Amino acid sequence: MAIISFHNLTFSVNSSRITSFPHRSPLSNKLFLGNALSLSKPVLKLRSPTHTPIKCSVSQATDTTPPDIGEKSQLMRRSDVRNIAIVAHVDHGKTTLVDSMLKQAKVFRDNQFVQERIMDSNDLERERGITILSKNTSITYKDTKVNIIDTPGHSDFGGEVERILNMVEGVLLVVDSVEGPMPQTRFVLKKALEFGHAVVVVVNKIDRPSARPDYVINSTFELFIELNASDEQCDFQAIYASGIKGKAGLSPDNLAEDLGPLFESIIRCIPGPCIDRDGALQLLVTNIEYDEHKGRIAIGRLHAGFLRRGLDVKVCTTEDSCRYARITELFVYEKFIRVPAERVEAGDICAVCGIDDIQIGETIADKISGRPLPAIKVEEPTVKMAFSINTSPFVGREGKYVTSRNLRDRLYRELERNLAMKVEDGETADTFVVSGRGTLHITILIENMRREGYEFMVGPPKVINKKVDDRLLEPYEIATVEVPEEHMGSVVELLGKRRGQMFDMQGVGSEGTTFLKYKIPTRGLLGLRNAILTVSRGTAILNTIFDSYGPWAGDITTRDQGSLVAFEDGTTSSYALSSSQERGQMFIGPGVDVYKGQIIGIHQRPGDLSLNVCKRKAATNIRSNKEQTVVLDTPLAYSLDDCIEYIQEDELVEVTPLHIRMCKNPKFSKKK
């Protein structure tokens, strides 16, 4: 007989009786029992989070000698430093939780004005309300320095998370108290477990009315087992918190007035960095920033030895490829700023200046006996888009950089920081193929380039297929949709048309919301976000994560309607638009400059239709009795993301600093 106790829930298994979790369906209990009993040990006992003392199986490793990675006698752990990354699915409250941690660690003055989500310092991050780039900060708690790295939650920016996990020894896995583990939760947890990191699970937003902490903890435990976590990793510490209120506790019903239990868990459950204090210098560069005065700044964790300002070092890519440099300035992270330092010991995270050509993944090593560390590996991109120079009649009106040389330099410069992205030369000299983790990943690059003054055109997103044994394989993703019950039918129909296969459906909370899980080709997701918002009247929430490559699913139709195309160059008039809007929905209003081939609206039928939106009322010498009053519909305002979702194979998006237009690809019209 096996006895498994887990967070105040106990069941025993023998040949005659099964006592299961009270919160689970019979099928879920069978799956859970099968997974739990398939572990290597017949008895698995997990700590209850309601016990007052925080004891972690991982924390005991702080005092023991770590695994052999060199000369065993020289390895030790630092007890005065903790390096942690905060990882989670998008909108589960990572950045808000960091805000509360910084405030309670007295990083800011009591009378200092602090904006919300202070870690999201980028303009684009604040506009969209998401984290795009990982950020470093640090706090001090009971004489222990805690380096905190805030990471993105969108699956498109998974490359940032994979890089950052090289710098830390443990992670805070933040999970929403209602939604539970989501697709990106699975991805970041899988990567953290592969690195062997300690995990502290934070059930955030515990103050939500429909919070279900028992379900979330059980689902997270099942996820650990599915990802083949070790017994020690499965014995995770659970903390219940409200990031926005700045409260945390060891049980959902008994929260402290501050985040003290969370800080204690970090100190006790996350081991200190394993270092070789007297060994040869080794620092793996995992991030790069740029400063107008200091140039390129390399950020990484010091694995061995020490760094001091003015030290001569060797920069290695591989054993054979090395060059020499000197450290001109050295910084550590204290509170919310970089602070100059004369010397940094192994185990701490620091920033280094003076190496102009430093790249992510290179090792800063000892000048005489230094050896490179293993390079950073990230997963392959799944979506590609073609970038080309602007060929419209309006070229050069707004942009500062318009030539193919400008475009090429900027795209290849992006590769220095964005490891998950790839750039290749296209079919012609002025075309470049950019590959990324998803459309959002590439769209953020397009938006940044647009704000920097670039003018260019982009084609529709395409998936990157593979051929294995003469079989065509395409990427598949796991899509999760949260939708009210009254719109579930139309959402299911839409996903079915795009070759999606449902494998899970459950009710969520008391709000009448249904949670759907699909396995769907990445091709089926292109242009899906707008369509799913339309059929659900803006209430559906769609999340996706790359799953695997599978067999080609067949043809998928992503758009049933054609486009309305401008017939000639000119300025639009109310007179022409009044008759044109009967053909479909317009993208433009009166008084707008257009050119021949520009897409000006959505046709209400399949196939494209050319319209003259510039014609004016004939002027005669006969006075009319009364001018007709023209009533125009409000034009559709499409953002950059919407335009990229809308276009098809023979269409392009023209991107300029002030305008985003769509047009027909002239190369396709020539072929026809």
Side-chain angles (χ1 to χ4, degrees):
M1 182 176 74
I3 300 173
I4 298 180
S5 66
F6 174 65
H7 297 295
N8 291 336
L9 301 170
T10 306
F11 61 82
S12 59
V13 181
N14 57 26
S15 58
S16 60
R17 185 182 174 195
I18 295 180
T19 307
S20 59
F21 285 110
H23 303 287
R24 299 181 173 278
S25 65
L27 175 61
S28 179
N29 275 310
K30 287 178 183 177
L31 291 172
F32 185 80
L33 293 174
N35 285 331
L37 295 179
S38 65
L39 294 173
S40 58
K41 296 185 179 180
V43 179
L44 171 66
K45 291 194 175 182
L46 294 182
R47 164 199 61 261
S48 167
T50 56
H51 295 169
T52 306
I54 301 174
K55 294 181 180 179
C56 307
S57 59
V58 180
S59 65
Q60 296 165 7
T62 307
D63 305 321
T64 61
T65 305
D68 184 16
I69 50 171
E71 295 185 18
K72 194 170 184 178
S73 59
Q74 295 182 355
L75 289 176
M76 57 178 292
R77 285 197 184 273
R78 282 186 69 173
S79 59
D80 60 335
V81 174
R82 298 290 185 276
N83 300 318
I84 63 167
I86 299 187
V87 297
H89 188 77
V90 63
D91 285 339
H92 279 198
K94 298 180 298 300
T95 308
T96 307
L97 184 64
V98 174
D99 280 1
S100 296
M101 294 172 74
L102 291 171
K103 287 174 185 173
Q104 295 189 19
K106 301 297 181 185
V107 170
F108 311 107
R109 298 190 313 271
D110 292 337
N111 63 344
Q112 184 175 347
F113 172 74
V114 180
Q115 59 188 1
E116 288 184 1
R117 301 193 318 276
I118 190 169
M119 296 295 282
D120 288 346
S121 53
N122 193 350
D123 290 342
L124 210 51
E125 291 178 323
R126 302 205 67 80
E127 287 174 21
R128 291 176 177 250
I130 60 174
T131 303
I132 298 171
L133 304 172
S134 53
K135 317 283 191 322
N136 293 56
T137 186
S138 78
I139 60 174
T140 302
Y141 180 77
K142 291 185 178 179
D143 300 325
T144 302
K145 180 182 180 182
V146 182
N147 289 307
I148 302 171
I149 306 174
D150 185 25
T151 63
H154 276 87
S155 58
D156 289 36
F157 310 116
E160 288 277 317
V161 182
E162 290 178 74
R163 280 196 292 115
I164 293 310
L165 290 176
N166 283 277
M167 297 170 66
V168 299
E169 284 76 39
V171 297
L172 292 188
L173 182 70
V174 182
V175 187
D176 189 281
S177 64
V178 176
E179 295 179 350
M182 295 287 279
Q184 183 68 359
T185 312
R186 182 188 183 93
F187 173 79
V188 294
L189 179 59
K190 177 186 174 187
K191 294 298 175 186
L193 294 177
E194 286 176 359
F195 277 92
H197 291 333
V199 181
V200 174
V201 176
V202 180
V203 182
N204 198 22
K205 305 184 184 180
I206 198 66
D207 52 342
R208 288 181 65 175
S210 54
R212 40 182 191 165
D214 290 337
Y215 162 80
V216 171
I217 288 292
N218 294 343
S219 301
T220 306
F221 179 64
E222 284 185 9
L223 185 57
F224 271 78
I225 293 175
E226 285 177 29
L227 297 174
N228 298 320
S230 65
D231 291 358
E232 289 77 15
Q233 288 171 325
C234 285
D235 188 15
F236 57 81
Q237 174 68 47
I239 298 291
Y240 303 88
S242 170
I244 198 162
K245 291 183 178 178
K247 296 181 178 181
L250 299 177
S251 71
D253 305 321
N254 185 21
L255 299 184
E257 291 302 312
D258 56 15
L259 293 174
L262 176 60
F263 289 131
E264 286 290 337
S265 300
I266 292 171
I267 301 300
R268 298 193 183 190
C269 300
I270 307 291
C274 178
I275 61 167
D276 185 0
R277 192 187 294 272
D278 301 321
L281 166 66
Q282 281 185 316
L283 182 146
L284 183 67
V285 179
T286 50
N287 209 349
I288 282 180
E289 292 181 3
Y290 185 80
D291 186 274
E292 291 182 359
H293 304 290
K294 298 180 179 64
R296 291 169 77 85
I297 302 174
I299 302 169
R301 180 169 73 92
L302 197 55
H303 286 259
F306 67 91
L307 258 180
R308 59 178 168 79
R309 202 170 64 168
L311 185 70
D312 290 326
V313 296
K314 183 165 62 175
V315 181
C316 302
T317 306
T318 61
E319 291 280 359
D320 303 326
S321 175
C322 295
R323 59 191 186 279
Y324 296 98
R326 172 172 288 185
I327 306 298
T328 57
E329 290 191 69
L330 191 60
F331 299 91
V332 293
Y333 288 89
E334 284 188 12
K335 297 184 176 178
F336 199 63
I337 56 174
R338 283 196 301 260
V339 179
E342 288 294 326
R343 180 185 171 103
V344 176
E345 297 285 342
D348 207 350
I349 293 175
C350 62
V352 174
C353 301
I355 310 173
D356 295 333
D357 55 351
I358 190 74
Q359 302 287 346
I360 291 176
E362 293 185 329
T363 302
I364 298 175
D366 184 74
K367 185 178 180 180
I368 301 170
S369 57
R371 290 181 301 171
L373 290 162
I376 300 173
K377 294 180 181 178
V378 296
E379 292 193 1
E380 293 294 312
T382 57
V383 175
K384 61 182 179 181
M385 293 172 66
F387 284 54
S388 61
I389 60 170
N390 190 0
T391 55
S392 80
F394 297 164
V395 61
R397 285 192 181 184
E398 302 161 9
K400 186 178 177 184
Y401 308 106
V402 296
T403 65
S404 60
R405 181 179 294 176
N406 296 142
L407 185 61
R408 178 190 175 87
D409 291 346
R410 177 63 181 84
L411 291 176
Y412 279 95
R413 197 162 67 242
E414 182 70 18
L415 298 183
E416 295 174 0
R417 196 186 188 287
N418 206 331
L419 285 191
M421 191 170 278
K422 290 187 176 180
V423 178
E424 302 165 351
D425 291 338
E427 296 176 355
T428 59
D430 54 7
T431 305
F432 308 95
V433 178
V434 179
S435 307
R437 286 283 184 88
T439 51
L440 180 64
H441 189 198
I442 304 176
T443 302
I444 294 296
L445 168 64
I446 295 170
E447 184 65 41
N448 282 326
M449 291 174 63
R450 176 181 168 232
R451 296 181 182 205
E452 292 166 16
Y454 285 84
E455 263 190 36
F456 54 97
M457 286 182 162
V458 293
K462 301 176 184 177
V463 299
I464 299 174
N465 300 318
K466 286 184 178 178
K467 268 203 169 184
V468 179
D469 299 330
D470 293 331
R471 290 178 61 210
L472 184 61
L473 304 181
E474 65 173 332
Y476 280 75
E477 303 199 20
I478 300 296
T480 59
V481 186
E482 203 174 321
V483 62
E485 288 181 3
E486 61 264 28
H487 302 302
M488 190 178 74
S490 52
V491 170
V492 169
E493 182 184 359
L494 177 65
L495 289 166
K497 287 180 180 177
R498 292 172 176 254
R499 307 280 182 176
Q501 295 180 340
M502 185 195 299
F503 63 88
D504 190 17
M505 179 174 68
Q506 53 182 301
V508 178
S510 57
E511 294 120 343
T513 304
T514 305
F515 190 72
L516 307 172
K517 278 191 178 182
Y518 276 83
K519 184 172 182 179
I520 183 170
T522 305
R523 283 184 302 134
L525 293 172
L526 302 178
L528 178 63
R529 203 169 295 272
N530 271 341
I532 211 166
L533 286 174
T534 303
V535 299
S536 66
R537 298 188 179 181
T539 56
I541 300 172
L542 172 68
N543 290 293
T544 60
I545 186 80
F546 173 73
D547 181 51
S548 61
Y549 273 83
W552 180 261
D555 293 333
I556 297 175
T557 55
T558 55
R559 198 177 86 195
D560 299 327
Q561 297 165 306
S563 299
L564 299 177
V565 183
F567 179 71
E568 63 180 0
D569 300 357
T571 304
T572 57
S573 65
S574 302
Y575 175 72
L577 289 174
S578 62
S579 58
S580 299
Q581 67 186 13
E582 298 172 4
R583 305 288 188 178
Q585 294 175 290
M586 307 300 293
F587 290 143
I588 55 173
V592 178
D593 290 338
V594 297
Y595 56 84
K596 184 179 180 180
Q598 181 179 336
I599 296 173
I600 54 174
I602 304 174
H603 192 200
Q604 60 191 7
R605 292 187 176 87
D608 297 335
L609 179 67
S610 294
L611 292 176
N612 188 353
V613 288
C614 303
K615 66 181 178 182
R616 302 191 177 276
K617 192 174 182 181
T620 65
N621 58 356
I622 300 173
R623 181 181 297 173
S624 60
N625 293 331
K626 185 183 177 183
E627 287 288 335
Q628 287 185 345
T629 303
V630 177
V631 180
L632 296 178
D633 297 335
T634 305
L636 292 174
Y638 264 25
S639 66
L640 175 62
D641 303 69
D642 298 333
C643 291
I644 288 174
E645 281 197 1
Y646 175 81
I647 59 173
Q648 288 191 322
E649 182 70 23
D650 61 338
E651 296 167 346
L652 297 169
V653 177
E654 179 192 351
V655 181
T656 68
L658 301 180
H659 293 94
I660 297 170
R661 307 180 185 93
M662 291 178 284
C663 64
K664 304 302 285 186
N665 192 340
K667 294 178 182 176
F668 277 81
S669 58
K670 287 176 184 175
K671 288 178 184 177
K672 288 180 182 178

